[in-house]
């Protein structure tokens, strides 16, 4: 096994035991970038020299007994919305060409303090306003979409060009690309991970979280990220916690909610079969299955768009009026549409969210964790705009990909996507676990228990 193939946990163990140096690990990842990046397009910027300097320092510190923890010396990619002092933050847009951050975002600062090493900034759908990341190819099939908007981060982790990465999630933008590329993606509870220094799409829906190869890795990274920051008005003063899941697989007494409504409507048969089989594995570990009804399903997408579109347009108001030609057509149209929405539309969406949160809290009294597909279909071909379901119903790719992920953004509950197999074409399938607010430990426990019953997953094949 090459160093770039290691999980965070495995790399941490090897570095701590001095079987592997941070220099060897970073060099291996940078070599992998040189090998596959021309075909994948996961990165906007590769910070090779900066990474090598940081690796040499990490190697020196570890050798002299100054080991900072499990992220020390581990290479990471950061979505190109996340500020790092002196490094470009372009949001994959011509609007931000030449922009360099003057200071670290909170999450970048925390990861650097934990010893993680930046190898580059990863592509996003422009300003995170889309679900395909057109600059980036799927790690498993170059002719298909990577998913978005954190497509670059998911492809980097899936292909071995980062040991872990951060993404942002406004309507599913961590979980969708994680599912489509066969990796783990965690959207934390709203307010658990600070967003100071992260370019916003929609302030009341935005989340920052990890994309990793294993559930254990997601817990390790979340432990470094979580914690209050007064510079983010939504940040919650939650106490510091260790989110690493335990090693056990016994789920006796835990209730897994299986939705009767919404989450299995218009879902590809292979996706449904893989998710239901994974749920059966959880039941075999002792979990009890209970059926639940998802509340207010007819209002989900209207509420998501009713919140996101006006908030995004407000953020971009100045540049939309001065340099509209610099935006991609798809993003510009959405931003211009936001100018036509009224205050009444926005307030109705806010009221809907309030009711939805209340009803979800009642539903979650019946189950500890909800299990469902992350996305209803695997990765579509690049440029495809529509999915046609078995009953002949067409649906836009963007609506299909956001339909099952948006509820967690509206309600703010934590959601974890993990791989549960592949379809007949070899494309990854993801299962989504949703929990109660600040219930990340339960999600990680369930996800890790499932993962331990499965064969070790390989990286996506090289180009």
């Amino acid at each position: 096994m090459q160093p770039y193939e290691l999980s965070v946990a495995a790399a941490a163990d090897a570095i701590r035991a001095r079987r592997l140096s941070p220099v060897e690990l970073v060099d291996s990842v940078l070599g992998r970038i040189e090998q596959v990046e021309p075909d994948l397009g996961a990165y906007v910027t590769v910070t090779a020299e900066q990474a090598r300097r940081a690796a040499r320092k990490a190697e020196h510190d570890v050798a002299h007994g100054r080991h900072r923890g499990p992220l020390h010396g581990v290479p990471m990619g950061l979505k190109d919305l996340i500020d790092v002092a002196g490094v470009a933050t372009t949001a994959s847009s011509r609007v931000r060409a030449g922009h360099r951050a003057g200071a670290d975002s909170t999450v970048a600062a925390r990861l650097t303090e934990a010893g993680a090493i930046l190898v580059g900034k990863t592509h996003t759908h422009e300003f995170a306003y889309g679900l395909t990341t057109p600059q980036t190819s799927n790690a498993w099939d170059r002719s298909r979409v990577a998913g978005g908007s954190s497509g670059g981060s998911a492809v980097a982790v899936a292909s071995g060009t980062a040991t872990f990465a951060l993404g942002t999630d406004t309507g599913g933008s961590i979980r969708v690309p994680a599912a489509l590329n066969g990796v783990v993606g965690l959207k934390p509870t709203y307010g658990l991970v600070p967003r100071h220094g992260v370019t916003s799409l929609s302030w009341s829906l935005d989340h920052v979280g990890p994309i990793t190869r294993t559930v254990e890795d997601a817990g390790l990274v979340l432990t470094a990220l979580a914690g209050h920051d007064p510079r983010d008005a939504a940040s919650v003063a939650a106490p510091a916690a260790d989110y690493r899941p335990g090693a056990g697989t016994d789920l006796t007494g835990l209730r897994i909610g299986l939705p009767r409504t919404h989450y299995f409507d218009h879902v590809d048969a292979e996706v449904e079969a893989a998710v239901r089989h994974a749920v059966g594995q959880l039941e075999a570990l002792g979990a009890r299955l209970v059926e639940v009804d998802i509340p207010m399903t007819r209002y989900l997408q209207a509420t998501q768009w009713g919140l996101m579109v006006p908030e995004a347009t407000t953020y971009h108001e100045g540049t939309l009026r001065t340099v509209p030609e610099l935006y991609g057509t798809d993003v510009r149209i959405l931003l211009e549409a936001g100018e036509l929405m009224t205050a009444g539309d926005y307030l109705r969406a806010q009221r809907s969210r309030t009711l939805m949160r209340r009803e979800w809290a009642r539903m979650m009294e019946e189950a500890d964790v909800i299990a469902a597909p992350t996305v209803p279909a695997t990765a579509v071909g690049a440029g495809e705009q529509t999915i046609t379901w078995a009953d002949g119903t067409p649906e836009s790719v963007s609506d299909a990909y956001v339909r099952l992920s948006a509820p967690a953004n509206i309600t703010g509950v934590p959601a974890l996507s993990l791989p549960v197999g592949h379809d007949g074409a070899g494309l990854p399938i993801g299962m989504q676990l949703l929990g109660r607010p600040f219930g990340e430990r339960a999600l990680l426990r369930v996800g890790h228990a499932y993962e331990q019953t499965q064969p070790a997953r390989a990286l996506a094949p090289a180009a």
Side-chain angles (χ1 to χ4, degrees):
M1 176 179 284
Q2 298 298 315
Y4 68 76
E5 299 177 82
L6 295 172
S7 67
V8 173
D13 287 345
I15 289 171
R16 185 184 302 109
R18 299 182 66 181
R19 297 190 306 271
L20 175 71
S21 80
V23 170
E24 290 171 325
L25 178 56
V26 166
D27 281 345
S28 180
V29 168
L30 291 173
R32 181 67 168 174
I33 290 174
E34 291 180 4
Q35 179 190 7
V36 302
E37 176 60 16
D39 290 317
L40 292 175
Y43 283 93
V44 182
T45 303
V46 176
T47 54
E49 290 310 310
Q50 176 180 323
R52 289 191 174 100
R53 286 195 301 271
R56 289 192 293 270
K57 183 178 187 307
E59 181 177 69
H60 180 270
D61 288 347
V62 171
H64 288 79
R66 295 189 293 273
H67 187 259
R68 300 188 194 179
L71 302 186
H72 199 175
V74 176
M76 65 176 175
L78 297 179
K79 186 176 183 178
D80 199 28
L81 302 178
I82 299 171
D83 282 351
V84 175
V87 179
T89 303
T90 73
S92 294
S93 176
R94 293 185 298 162
V95 175
R96 285 279 186 88
H99 171 79
R100 288 186 179 272
D104 283 349
S105 58
T106 302
V107 290
R110 287 179 177 177
L111 291 173
T112 300
E113 177 62 25
I117 295 174
L118 180 70
V119 293
K121 303 290 286 293
T122 57
H123 265 303
T124 171
H125 201 116
E126 184 179 19
F127 282 106
Y129 214 168
L131 287 153
T132 59
T133 316
Q135 310 92 326
T136 305
S137 299
N138 188 280
W140 291 84
D141 183 340
R142 309 301 188 263
S143 70
R144 296 179 183 267
V145 299
S149 62
S150 307
S153 289
V155 169
V157 174
S159 63
T161 61
T163 307
F164 75 92
L166 292 194
T168 64
D169 193 311
T170 305
S173 290
I174 286 172
R175 291 159 289 150
V176 171
L180 298 185
N181 290 279
V183 291
V184 173
L186 174 63
K187 184 203 79 65
T189 303
Y190 185 74
L192 181 63
V193 175
R195 303 164 303 174
H196 173 73
V198 180
T199 301
S200 177
L201 172 58
S202 172
W203 72 269
S204 72
L205 298 167
D206 291 341
H207 303 67
V208 179
I211 296 176
T212 59
R213 292 188 198 131
T214 70
V215 175
E216 180 181 16
D217 288 358
L220 290 171
V221 179
L222 181 62
T223 298
L225 295 175
H228 182 244
D229 181 355
R231 294 171 296 181
D232 178 355
S235 181
V236 176
D242 186 343
Y243 290 97
R244 289 176 292 186
T249 60
D250 184 3
L251 299 181
T252 300
L254 189 134
R255 298 169 299 168
I256 302 288
L258 201 58
R260 294 189 190 94
T261 52
H262 186 67
Y263 279 100
F264 290 98
D265 298 338
H266 283 147
V267 170
D268 180 84
E270 289 182 291
V271 171
E272 179 171 356
V275 171
R276 290 193 184 276
H277 182 266
V279 170
Q281 296 290 101
L282 297 177
E283 187 177 24
L285 295 176
R288 180 163 61 91
L289 303 188
V290 296
E291 290 191 326
V292 295
D293 290 310
I294 305 300
M296 299 180 66
T297 56
R298 64 178 292 191
Y299 302 107
L300 283 168
Q301 285 183 275
T303 302
Q304 171 74 16
W305 290 103
L307 295 166
M308 181 174 66
V309 172
E311 289 181 359
T313 297
T314 299
Y315 181 86
H316 289 272
E317 185 174 17
T319 47
L320 184 61
R321 293 180 179 177
T322 56
V323 287
E325 71 281 0
L326 296 183
Y327 288 94
T329 302
D330 60 332
V331 171
R332 190 182 72 249
I333 288 171
L334 286 169
L335 292 173
E336 289 173 345
E339 294 188 311
L340 303 178
M341 296 185 72
T342 66
D345 295 330
Y346 182 64
L347 290 174
R348 278 185 284 274
Q350 291 282 17
R351 292 190 190 108
S352 177
R353 172 165 51 195
T354 299
L355 292 172
M356 211 170 286
R357 283 176 170 167
R358 185 183 307 160
E359 293 304 310
W360 270 67
R362 289 175 181 164
M363 176 188 66
M364 291 303 299
E365 293 175 1
E366 304 172 28
D368 301 298
V369 172
I370 304 294
T374 306
V375 287
T378 53
V380 300
E384 289 186 29
Q385 301 296 320
T386 304
I387 296 173
T388 302
W389 300 111
D391 63 1
T393 303
E395 184 175 22
S396 73
V397 170
S398 60
D399 281 351
Y401 281 171
V402 78
R403 174 162 43 91
L404 305 187
S405 54
N409 297 88
I410 297 168
T411 59
V413 301
L416 174 74
S417 179
L418 67 157
V420 292
H422 294 77
D423 67 10
L427 299 170
I429 295 170
M431 176 173 70
Q432 183 176 201
L433 302 174
L434 302 102
R436 297 169 182 162
F438 304 100
E440 280 78 3
R441 283 193 191 86
L443 298 187
L444 293 164
R445 174 193 170 199
V446 174
H448 187 50
Y450 168 80
E451 202 170 59
Q452 290 180 88
T453 69
Q454 305 302 304
R457 291 191 301 270
L459 295 181

